[in-house]
Amino acid sequence: MQPPAILEAALYVSDLAEAERFYGEALGLERIARVEGRHVFFRCGQTVLLLFNPAATAGPPAADARLPVPPHGARGQGHLCFAATAEEIARWKAHLEAAGIAIEADFEWPGGGRSIYFRDPSGNSLEFAEPRIWGLT
């Protein structure tokens, strides 16, 4: 057996309100859920991006929790890559720069395909890349 896709991916952020503003406004993602002080979730195509306050998810769920999600979390900067065509990457670069978001790297991979890297307000490394960098279409 092999999983067919990743359904959700998580990043851990230092300021949920700032992260919500960044991912909703700068990246245009649709917010689908929020619990004050704990998390904010966004739809990204057929995937969900989960943004968590790491302190709020580190402990076990309450004994009477309706959804007994086990503790989880990470500290420090994570990484997430969004798929984009070459044309979309050019537009994203212009959009991000116009919003005052610095592009940390912009290059062509040796096997073909372009990536641009930038940071979210919590320091997480974000990337737009052509799927062909991994031999995907």
Side-chain angles (χ1 to χ4, degrees):
M1 293 184 65
Q2 184 180 58
I6 293 174
L7 177 61
E8 57 191 38
L11 289 173
Y12 297 84
V13 299
S14 56
D15 183 326
L16 281 171
E18 189 175 34
E20 181 175 4
R21 200 169 26 261
F22 178 84
Y23 285 90
E25 294 175 13
L27 298 186
L29 297 179
E30 173 194 358
R31 188 187 77 213
I32 56 174
R34 175 173 20 109
V35 170
E36 191 65 37
R38 186 179 190 282
H39 67 252
V40 60
F41 299 163
F42 290 94
R43 183 174 320 286
C44 184
Q46 296 298 306
T47 305
V48 176
L49 174 58
L50 311 172
L51 301 176
F52 289 107
N53 168 352
T57 60
D64 63 345
R66 185 175 64 85
L67 301 171
V69 176
H72 57 82
R75 303 274 183 201
Q77 300 168 340
H79 172 70
L80 188 66
C81 180
F82 299 98
T85 65
E87 296 79 21
E88 290 168 336
I89 290 171
R91 290 197 315 267
W92 274 112
K93 182 178 181 181
H95 171 77
L96 294 167
E97 289 175 332
I101 300 165
I103 302 300
E104 198 169 38
D106 178 351
F107 59 88
E108 293 281 332
W109 289 90
R114 180 180 179 195
S115 283
I116 60 171
Y117 289 81
F118 56 102
R119 301 275 171 175
D120 76 3
S122 294
N124 290 301
S125 173
L126 302 177
E127 175 185 8
F128 279 102
E130 293 179 73
R132 67 187 177 123
I133 70 171
W134 292 109
L136 304 171
T137 57

